[in-house]
Amino acid sequence: SLIQGTSSGATQLLIGRFVAGMSIGLLSSVIVLYQSEVAPASMRGALSTLYQLGITFGILIAAYIDQLLVDRPDGWRHVMGIICIPAALLIVGMPFMPQSPRWLVQVGRDQEALEVLRTIRSEEEATQEFADIQLEHKLTVVAGVPRWSELFQGRVAQLIVLGIALQLLQQLVGMNAFMYFGPKIFESIGFSKNVFTTINNFINFISTFPAIILADRVGRRSLMLWSAIGM
């Protein structure tokens, strides 16, 4: 964000976009993995949807700030500066977060993994989960290094096809067209493009709440089936 906000030409701006894009892509993948490895099993569904809620809330806030500043002189630079605030909070906060117990076991730091579990679980739960993690790791070691061909076999292949199908449905349903081209579409029929963007992102935000409420009540599979029908 600093690279983009201080850019004096297209080259620096593109470099900033590249760094930001790579960072966001890495962060988006790691957050879900970290949550799933640290959170109790009973809370993983809710935490995953809270993560999505955070994304949609951030998009909404960004749209609102953009609506306030975009038409001002160098307003976009101010927006880039504001983006640095949550990034700085994340940098300051992450050193206080525990390491992933599964990763610690994976790299041979078993005692540290048990200590981490004791800080986020009861003693009984920590001991049981530590034993489960160790067993899973031993089975993984026995199974050996996975082969690329395994991606196209059995249950793994089914899960990959399911994941690809869900992503395709999300894109082909037209949501991205409205996210990116909605302002132009609505401006062409006389609406304010900035107001439309804010309203669109607000709807995107509130639509996340049903998933938070229902994820651990009706199950992920049911939500996926009904969402697929809706799309």
Side-chain angles (χ1 to χ4, degrees):
S1 298
L2 284 174
I3 296 173
Q4 296 174 81
T6 59
S7 62
S8 56
T11 301
Q12 184 177 342
L13 186 62
L14 288 173
I15 292 172
R17 292 303 301 162
F18 176 78
V19 173
M22 292 291 289
S23 302
I24 292 169
L26 178 63
L27 191 65
S28 299
S29 303
V30 171
I31 285 177
V32 178
L33 180 61
Y34 179 77
Q35 284 182 332
S36 66
E37 293 184 349
V38 174
S42 60
M43 294 179 61
R44 285 171 191 160
L47 282 175
S48 296
T49 49
L50 280 173
Y51 164 65
Q52 183 62 33
L53 179 68
I55 291 176
T56 56
F57 181 67
I59 293 172
L60 174 62
I61 294 299
Y64 179 71
I65 293 174
D66 183 62
Q67 184 177 335
L68 295 176
L69 299 177
V70 71
D71 293 325
R72 298 185 180 184
D74 286 333
W76 65 274
R77 294 185 188 274
H78 298 142
V79 173
M80 291 295 111
I82 292 171
I83 292 173
C84 294
I85 297 173
L89 292 174
L90 186 63
I91 292 172
V92 172
M94 279 309 299
F96 299 98
M97 299 295 289
Q99 291 274 18
S100 164
R102 291 182 181 274
W103 178 79
L104 290 171
V105 169
Q106 183 180 334
V107 296
R109 295 157 61 178
D110 290 22
Q111 189 58 40
E112 288 182 55
L114 181 57
E115 292 301 321
V116 168
L117 286 169
R118 283 172 174 164
T119 64
I120 58 178
R121 307 278 195 278
S122 67
E123 181 66 30
E124 183 179 350
E125 290 174 336
T127 304
Q128 181 60 51
E129 187 166 342
F130 179 65
D132 293 340
I133 293 173
Q134 282 189 311
L135 177 60
E136 290 177 15
H137 177 62
K138 289 177 182 177
L139 293 174
T140 301
V141 172
V142 170
V145 178
R147 303 183 304 274
W148 284 103
S149 59
E150 293 179 24
L151 296 174
F152 308 100
Q153 300 172 4
R155 181 69 172 171
V156 175
Q158 294 176 5
L159 291 173
I160 289 176
V161 171
L162 176 62
I164 293 173
L166 286 172
Q167 290 298 321
L168 284 173
L169 280 171
Q170 290 180 49
Q171 312 310 319
L172 296 176
V173 75
M175 180 58 182
N176 278 1
F178 273 92
M179 288 289 286
Y180 293 109
F181 302 109
K184 289 188 176 181
I185 295 171
F186 277 76
E187 186 180 29
S188 67
I189 58 176
F191 288 95
S192 168
K193 60 180 181 180
N194 290 330
V195 172
F196 160 77
T197 301
T198 304
I199 294 173
N200 185 53
N201 290 326
F202 176 71
I203 294 172
N204 189 36
F205 169 63
I206 62 174
S207 297
T208 313
F209 284 97
I212 296 175
I213 297 169
L214 298 173
D216 290 321
R217 295 186 181 183
V218 302
R220 285 68 151 169
R221 184 172 178 272
S222 297
L223 287 178
M224 288 171 63
L225 285 171
W226 284 106
S227 298
I229 293 171
M231 289 190 286

